Amino acid sequence: MNIVVCVKQVPDTEAQIKVKPDGSGIDEAGIKWVMNPYDEYGVEEALRLKEKLGGDVTIVSVGPARAMETIRTALAMGADKGIHIDDPALNDADAYTTATALAAAIKSIPHDIIFCGQRAIDDDSGQVGSVLAELLGIPQVTIVTKLEVEGSNIKATKPIEGAQLLIGSSLPCVVTAQKGLNEPRYASLPGIMKAKKKPVDIKNAAALGMTADVKAKVAKFVPPPARPPGKIVCGDDPAAKAAELAKLLREEAKVI
Amino acid sequence: MAKGVWIVAEQRDGAFRKISFELASTARKLADQLSDEVCAIVLGSGIKGIAGELGKYGVDKVFVADNPALEPYTTDAYAAAVAKIAKENDPAILLLGASVQGKDLSSRLVGKLATGMATDCTDVKIADGKLLAIRPMYAGKCFGEVVVSGSPQMASLRPNVFSIVENAKAGAVVDFDPGLDPAQLKTKVIEVQKDASGKVDLTEANIIVSGGRGMKGPEGYGILEELAAVLGATVGASRAAVDAGWRPQSDQVGQTGKVVSPNLYIACGISGAIQHLAGMSSSKYIAAINKDSEAPIFTKADYGVVDDLFKVVPELTKECKKLLA
Ligand SMILES: Cc1cc2nc3c(=O)[nH]c(=O)nc-3n(C[C@H](O)[C@H](O)[C@H](O)COP(=O)(O)OP(=O)(O)OC[C@H]3O[C@@H](n4cnc5c(N)ncnc54)[C@H](O)[C@@H]3O)c2cc1C
Ligand SMILES: Nc1ncnc2c1ncn2[C@@H]1O[C@H](COP(=O)(O)O)[C@@H](O)[C@H]1O
């Protein structure tokens, strides 16, 4: 089984996000970078498939030099090799451009199943997996919480509003991972040592035969609107406070 | 020249979902600013009869593909059908819902139409004759103003955020052939398991009553369910409660759960960790019940009660019942 996992390096969920004064981006000072949490589920699922069916797991990431740490993390978890696509022209890539780069890299290697996260928790766009599938001309099953591989087909569970779907697809296929798919393992110390020696190819856009063609651009970043200071309902009696809260919600906020 | 503001309406079991009317109303507003028309795409099987309903919300023309291969939804069939009609008509703007189906379909279309999209937008407007889409990023820790230079300019709209406005237009129904090639349909729905509770999904709920570690255990949620029943609300949870196994995964609100924007979010026994706040701070109103007056949730709350939730929540339920009677 030739398994590929696309991983993105993103700010840690603890990070406070500050917008640069000119709105051109976020202030990266002091940010701790981690693997996108949904991509961890992808890596874990890939490793479990490899353990069950044999084969090999390739990690692909588009990002600046620091993204190498995230590739190494995945290798330390147990993946076999990596492709690091590093090009300043791709730093502000949108979903289409990122997927173009990933597709170019993945086309040149055997791939039976490709995992992405259901979304990256920085841009929250949730597009790359599907665009990648389209560019590779293969099916997609998105937001998957359970996966079974049977020969050259998969069965995937996907929650939708008010129901769960069981979806069948042929391989090769892109699967985007949702929380619940598995419990990702931690990298072991020997794993971390071994990861240092695993091969990682570094490529730029030219080597992939592509140019960045950004079709959606964040023209301006803005901080979230400030919330007006709240009211704390005073008093000692829980019942009286509950009554006051109900009244505020009904008469002032008019939301109930 | 690309023309028209287009939407992909969403129906399930032969009825339009609310997001379809939100899309139509929003498209109308944009089209009026551009002096352009609104076209809708409706896909499914046996759905031609409902298509005209969209006229009520400002749609001029409804393109319908009524075809057995379009029921139930599959990415392959829907993306092929929408891409075909979009290529034939060259829309300037194409809007979809950021529902589970809309997210799956819209992102595949980005690939098929080789364009750009702003996902899960909370506002859209026209600036300099082009679409300007405003969307939360980093789960709402900041917002981005997105300009799409590709064509069509695509955006998906967060459910429940855009208002529904009646504005009757022709809603003329036109059939189109989705031109499906069975060989290209590689995925299929094997089974649909409906959630017996029939509860409204968190992403679509008007009111959310959410509980965290302060609920003490799965039984604790009984009082939240009672309050939710009175308010017509959906119950949500913090990750601490989900990871403890008290609530299902689908209930989690936050940066690695669902990002929600209800009219009212009532947080009970939730401290307000940054990952939780990220997922709910775009709610219109926030109320918090927590016994710790220093809990960070109070920095976001419009209304706060500092007390034991097991004493406050049942009383709140009683009061709401009285007020709503
Ligand atoms: C990678 C990552 C991703 C994460 N993603 C998410 C996410 O998406 N969503 C999320 O929610 N969290 C997320 N978290 C977890 C987050 O950091 C917090 O641990 C979690 O939100 C805490 O949940 P809580 O508020 O229920 O529990 P706690 O922080 O333990 O708070 C419990 C609160 O209940 C109050 N309380 C206790 N008893 C009572 C009582 N009787 N009456 C009134 N109040 C009472 C306490 O005062 C306290 O404030 C994530 C963490 C990581 C590392
Ligand atoms: N720069 C990137 N490098 C590798 N994979 C990526 C990158 N950006 C996005 N992805 C993959 O696509 C998923 C969805 O990302 P997004 O569409 O940006 O929300 C992520 O979880 C990754 O699996």
Side-chain angles (χ1 to χ4, degrees), chain A:
Chain A
M1 189 105 206
N2 299 296
I3 311 165
V4 178
V5 190
C6 301
V7 305
K8 185 178 190 186
Q9 191 182 44
V10 298
D12 177 28
T13 58
E14 291 281 341
Q16 302 279 356
I17 299 298
K18 280 195 224 79
V19 172
K20 285 186 191 159
D22 66 357
S24 64
I26 63 153
D27 183 356
E28 295 193 354
I31 284 182
K32 195 180 138 210
W33 297 91
V34 299
M35 187 188 304
N36 180 38
Y38 294 106
D39 302 352
E40 292 182 5
Y41 303 116
V43 174
E44 178 62 37
E45 200 64 15
L47 297 174
R48 290 187 189 188
L49 281 182
K50 178 189 160 174
E51 283 155 10
K52 211 165 124 193
L53 304 169
D56 131 344
V57 178
T58 306
I59 303 299
V60 190
S61 187
V62 182
R66 58 172 157 73
M68 185 61 95
E69 291 158 45
T70 295
I71 297 174
R72 292 280 173 213
T73 303
L75 297 177
M77 287 168 77
D80 300 288
K81 51 187 189 282
I83 302 175
H84 182 185
I85 305 168
D86 180 4
D87 195 316
L90 299 176
N91 284 355
D92 288 315
D94 62 348
Y96 192 81
T97 300
T98 302
T100 304
L102 291 170
I106 293 169
K107 263 182 196 152
S108 65
I109 57 173
H111 50 271
D112 298 311
I113 189 162
I114 300 166
F115 289 101
C116 286
Q118 62 109 338
R119 70 170 194 264
I121 61 155
D122 52 356
D123 61 27
D124 283 331
S125 96
Q127 298 179 39
V128 168
S130 306
V131 182
L132 172 62
E134 173 63 28
L135 297 179
L136 293 172
I138 62 177
Q140 68 189 55
V141 189
T142 56
I143 320 191
V144 167
T145 54
K146 189 164 178 253
L147 182 70
E148 276 173 62
V149 175
E150 293 164 354
S152 59
N153 292 294
I154 59 163
K155 274 188 192 163
T157 304
K158 171 187 172 87
I160 64 167
E161 301 90 350
Q164 301 247 13
L165 304 181
L166 184 65
I167 297 179
S169 173
S170 57
L171 291 176
C173 174
V174 170
V175 171
T176 79
Q178 164 72 320
K179 189 176 178 224
L181 184 60
N182 53 47
E183 250 338 295
R185 69 195 65 187
Y186 291 101
S188 65
L189 199 56
I192 295 170
M193 299 310 292
K194 269 196 230 154
K196 293 187 177 143
K197 293 193 211 86
K198 291 181 176 169
V200 179
D201 256 357
I202 302 178
K203 295 195 168 166
N204 60 16
L208 293 170
M210 66 161 295
T211 45
D213 176 13
V214 174
K215 295 169 188 294
K217 187 173 164 46
V218 184
K220 196 172 163 204
F221 289 78
V222 286
R227 295 193 77 93
K231 268 187 198 166
I232 297 286
V233 177
C234 298
D236 296 320
D237 174 26
K241 284 192 277 191
E244 178 64 15
L245 175 60
K247 198 168 147 228
L248 287 167
L249 294 176
R250 175 92 175 157
E251 287 168 14
E252 195 178 88
K254 300 191 166 68
V255 281
I256 63 170

Side-chain angles (χ1 to χ4, degrees), chain B:
Chain B
M1 241 271 292
K3 214 180 130 336
V5 181
W6 287 60
I7 65 169
V8 180
E10 187 173 331
Q11 58 84 19
R12 203 190 283 176
D13 301 328
F16 281 118
R17 308 197 75 221
K18 195 165 148 253
I19 183 69
S20 301
F21 306 136
E22 296 167 8
L23 286 163
S25 307
T26 309
R28 184 74 255 163
K29 207 171 90 187
L30 298 180
D32 284 346
Q33 287 174 49
L34 294 165
S35 310
D36 210 336
E37 62 174 3
V38 175
C39 299
I41 301 168
V42 180
L43 307 173
S45 181
I47 40 77
K48 193 173 173 188
I50 62 166
E53 245 179 79
L54 292 171
K56 192 165 145 196
Y57 305 97
V59 175
D60 299 297
K61 229 185 254 167
V62 190
F63 290 85
V64 179
D66 200 329
N67 187 304
L70 293 168
E71 178 59 42
Y73 169 84
T74 60
T75 319
D76 299 341
Y78 271 55
V82 177
K84 178 167 181 274
I85 187 108
K87 283 180 182 156
E88 286 166 5
N89 290 275
D90 194 17
I93 294 175
L94 177 61
L95 306 176
L96 289 93
S99 55
V100 177
Q101 179 178 310
K103 280 182 181 161
D104 185 80
L105 175 59
S106 61
S107 53
R108 185 81 188 199
L109 286 168
V110 166
K112 274 206 189 302
L113 302 172
T115 186
M117 171 171 72
T119 315
D120 209 17
C121 299
T122 51
D123 197 6
V124 285
K125 35 184 135 179
I126 300 294
D128 302 328
K130 296 199 76 171
L131 178 74
L132 184 70
I134 292 123
R135 56 181 305 262
M137 300 176 70
Y138 300 86
K141 291 178 187 172
C142 78
F143 281 67
E145 297 182 0
V146 181
V147 175
V148 179
S149 52
S151 182
Q153 300 171 59
M154 285 183 65
S156 67
L157 308 188
R158 179 173 291 189
N160 236 1
V161 171
F162 293 83
S163 7
I164 295 177
V165 183
E166 290 193 20
N167 182 352
K169 298 283 172 191
V173 177
V174 187
D175 284 305
F176 81 96
D177 172 10
L180 298 175
D181 170 4
Q184 281 174 347
L185 310 181
K186 292 176 184 153
T187 54
K188 64 168 190 290
V189 177
I190 300 170
E191 195 186 311
V192 180
Q193 220 177 63
K194 288 211 171 133
D195 172 6
S197 74
K199 81 175 194 181
V200 178
D201 195 76
L202 286 171
T203 54
E204 300 178 321
N206 258 322
I207 304 181
I208 294 173
V209 178
S210 204
R213 202 181 332 252
M215 302 314 300
K216 300 283 188 284
E219 334 63 63
Y221 282 81
I223 56 172
L224 299 189
E225 299 282 2
E226 281 164 25
L227 176 59
V230 171
L231 296 177
T234 296
V235 175
S238 71
R239 172 154 172 183
V242 169
D243 285 355
W246 303 347
R247 301 298 290 181
Q249 183 56 57
S250 52
D251 280 9
Q252 183 182 318
V253 173
Q255 193 165 7
T256 55
K258 287 184 174 145
V259 180
V260 298
S261 330
N263 272 327
L264 173 62
Y265 189 91
I266 307 180
C268 307
I270 292 176
S271 62
I274 184 164
Q275 299 95 344
H276 191 82
L277 296 179
M280 45 64 83
S281 50
S282 62
S283 305
K284 199 149 165 218
Y285 283 93
I286 296 171
I289 303 168
N290 194 305
K291 64 182 182 189
D292 173 11
S293 65
E294 299 294 314
I297 188 77
F298 288 120
T299 64
K300 295 283 179 194
D302 300 283
Y303 303 110
V305 174
V306 181
D307 211 323
D308 182 353
L309 71 91
F310 291 100
K311 292 186 183 138
V312 177
V313 173
E315 292 298 329
L316 182 60
T317 306
K318 256 191 246 165
E319 287 300 326
C320 290
K321 212 184 251 168
K322 255 194 261 165
L323 286 176
L324 298 176

